[in-house]
Amino acid sequence: MGMTNILISGASVAGPALAWWLRRYGFRPTVVERAPALRAGGYKVDIRGAALDVVDRMGLLEQVRRHDTGMRLARFVDAEGAQLATMDAQLFGGREGDDAEIMRGDLARILAAATDDVEYVFGDSIAAMTPIAEGVEVAFERGSRRTFDLVIGADGLHSNVRRLAFGPESSHLRHLGHHIAIFTVPAEFGVPRTELMHPAPGRTVGVYRTAGAQDAKTLFLFPSPQGGPDHRDVAGQKALLAEAFAGVGWQVPRLLDAMWDAPDFYLDSMSQVRMDRWSAGRIGLVGDAAYGASPASGQGTSLSLVGAYVLATSLATAGGDPAAGFADYERRMRPFVEANQQLAERNLKGMVLRSAAQIRFQVLMLRLMPHLPGRERMIRRVTEPIRKAATAITLPDAAAIAS
Ligand SMILES: Cc1cc2nc3c(=O)[nH]c(=O)nc-3n(C[C@H](O)[C@H](O)[C@H](O)COP(=O)(O)OP(=O)(O)OC[C@H]3O[C@@H](n4cnc5c(N)ncnc54)[C@H](O)[C@@H]3O)c2cc1C
């Protein structure tokens, strides 16, 4: 059985990282991306634990460090903009030690540049897949047809490959009860290297500006029933956000005004992907498409990077047998995925506080923290579960595999 030619759907984090490792092991990957060019936009993402190790093994760690967001401070403000409390940005993001924070767009650019010898097809998408004797026949939306040995979906939370091969997304998405919105706003809304956060009962809004950025990003979190507008209905999403934050103080009315002109408005449910299997025959999934952990976990990017490495390594050691490769990938990744998905619900409780009393308590704790005798223990209570989950995998050894 051969499996040299591998089609990957999606060119964000998981797709290019998988392509990098497949090339390294002697496979011939092709990446198809629906967007007309590499999507540069995005928010900041954390890379920690085993994922740092993977990036290091790719020789890209120094580049990632050069693009660190350089955030310094989180500052909590009230409805009038007055400071309530401050906190170190590393601790606010649940980072410690060598953990990195980078804009998703910068990471995507680094990964794409590192795979410039891989065939990328932009502005196209898989329309249909038909399993054939020793491969998959793929029909593309723009009309071409090609045959591949394997197809891997790295196309995110609303994965096209998952829908085509495993059925409707409603059977795989688990809504965590909140929506998230994020978009770019003019720089004057933010303070350099600072996260401004305004907690209102049941709703949280923040603005951050990274080191050297020409603009700022704003982020909204709010509770929501299952469903909500379709993830492609931008007008409906904007109306939902405006309604959810009506009456909230601080700079929220001006941020909502800026929303109508935002070049990159994003709104989606905070959802996780839960699946019994990440492969069916010669079709597999990686990254958010397989085991999206939601932005609340802070671990989606790390899961994608580790998953790409483990999948490529499992396929490379499977002796040409895709079923054996996919089985090895699942066995190694499942406990790691479960540990990281578990972080999300706990984190969400701290990100959106339900009542004014809870907000007052959190502010009081933040103000007292520098003076409390148990400070180190309290900090460990925040960082320890994240560190444990982020390192809950033993990476297979790539060095043993001939390229
Ligand atoms: C607001 C927000 C904040 C986040 N914050 C963090 C954080 O702090 N830390 C963290 O670790 N993670 C965070 N994440 C999650 C992180 O960005 C993702 O987990 C990670 O990017 C997953 O990468 P991926 O490559 O699997 O999927 P995605 O980044 O979703 O990429 C999927 C790619 O597939 C493409 N695509 C979609 N459909 C098709 C199709 N039909 N055909 C071809 N291509 C297609 C898309 O255009 C996209 O390029 C956040 C996510 C969001 C939305």
Side-chain angles (χ1 to χ4, degrees):
M1 278 189 283
M3 50 176 186
T4 308
N5 293 312
I6 302 183
L7 177 64
I8 301 169
S9 171
S12 173
V13 175
L18 178 64
W20 193 95
W21 283 106
L22 289 175
R23 279 286 295 128
R24 159 83 199 275
Y25 295 145
F27 296 93
R28 257 199 315 276
T30 297
V31 184
V32 59
E33 163 61 50
R34 188 179 51 188
L38 196 68
R39 294 173 63 183
Y43 29 83
K44 49 192 178 53
V45 296
D46 301 325
I47 306 178
R48 53 166 81 77
L52 278 176
D53 209 353
V54 169
V55 174
D56 196 20
R57 292 180 190 198
M58 297 170 85
L60 299 176
L61 191 53
E62 213 170 287
Q63 276 195 63
V64 164
R65 296 243 180 265
R66 272 205 302 278
H67 286 86
D68 197 275
T69 58
M71 298 300 284
R72 275 202 188 128
L73 193 72
R75 180 188 294 164
F76 295 82
V77 296
D78 68 11
E80 275 71 48
Q83 180 171 305
L84 294 167
T86 63
M87 186 179 186
D88 174 73
Q90 283 288 97
L91 182 58
F92 177 71
R95 288 180 301 281
E96 56 179 351
D98 282 347
D99 295 354
E101 188 183 56
I102 182 171
M103 297 305 286
R104 193 209 60 87
D106 288 338
L107 179 61
R109 262 194 300 270
I110 291 171
L111 293 169
T115 47
D116 58 0
D117 54 349
V118 165
E119 179 192 8
Y120 278 84
V121 180
F122 286 99
D124 209 347
S125 171
I126 299 173
M129 294 183 289
T130 315
I132 53 170
E134 292 223 332
V136 184
E137 197 178 282
V138 178
F140 290 91
E141 274 179 3
R142 287 205 330 224
S144 61
R145 279 179 174 275
R146 285 169 71 174
T147 300
F148 294 90
D149 299 321
L150 299 181
V151 178
I152 308 292
D155 39 11
L157 188 63
H158 302 290
S159 168
N160 181 43
V161 170
R162 192 183 62 226
R163 184 177 50 78
L164 291 172
F166 300 87
E169 71 173 33
S170 55
S171 46
H172 302 125
L173 288 198
R174 182 163 167 270
H175 182 47
L176 299 183
H178 287 74
H179 265 64
I180 182 168
I182 196 154
F183 51 92
T184 299
V185 289
E188 55 268 24
F189 278 103
V191 175
R193 305 179 72 172
T194 303
E195 312 244 13
L196 298 172
M197 298 301 298
H198 173 53
R203 288 160 293 179
T204 297
V205 55
V207 177
Y208 66 83
R209 200 172 141 193
T210 56
Q214 304 300 311
D215 49 32
K217 307 273 177 199
T218 182
L219 176 138
F220 296 77
L221 290 169
F222 60 104
S224 55
Q226 188 84 33
D230 185 272
H231 67 274
R232 285 157 302 214
D233 171 14
V234 177
Q237 295 173 351
K238 288 183 174 176
L240 176 74
L241 187 66
E243 191 188 320
F245 281 82
V248 177
W250 188 44
Q251 29 182 6
V252 169
R254 288 198 304 123
L255 288 168
L256 291 175
D257 282 346
M259 163 180 82
W260 300 102
D261 297 325
D264 55 353
F265 180 83
Y266 166 90
L267 181 141
D268 209 338
S269 68
M270 293 265 223
S271 296
Q272 293 191 332
V273 179
R274 300 282 178 95
M275 301 185 76
D276 297 336
R277 298 196 54 188
W278 301 324
S279 68
R282 288 176 168 260
I283 300 171
L285 299 170
V286 68
D288 272 13
Y291 31 75
S294 93
S297 76
Q299 278 293 89
T301 303
S302 291
L303 280 175
S304 292
L305 290 165
V306 173
Y309 170 70
V310 174
L311 175 56
T313 309
S314 296
L315 290 174
T317 48
D321 177 0
F326 284 133
D328 188 60
Y329 162 60
E330 288 229 19
R331 185 180 58 77
R332 290 177 187 276
M333 282 295 288
R334 274 258 172 225
F336 183 57
V337 164
E338 278 163 17
N340 284 285
Q341 286 194 328
Q342 273 170 20
L343 295 173
E345 272 168 290
R346 178 177 173 277
N347 289 349
L348 248 182
K349 286 198 185 107
M351 289 159 84
V352 184
L353 302 172
R354 280 197 309 276
S355 64
Q358 272 192 357
I359 294 169
R360 279 197 300 275
F361 179 73
Q362 192 193 51
V363 167
L364 184 68
M365 290 310 289
L366 287 171
R367 283 184 182 163
L368 289 176
M369 194 137 97
H371 316 289
L372 291 177
R375 180 175 185 271
E376 294 304 321
R377 206 180 57 241
M378 286 165 69
I379 290 176
R380 269 204 307 280
R381 279 228 317 260
V382 176
T383 55
E384 186 87 354
I386 302 172
R387 193 181 54 75
K388 267 194 172 158
T391 53
I393 187 166
T394 306
L395 293 177
D397 191 3
I401 300 166
S403 60

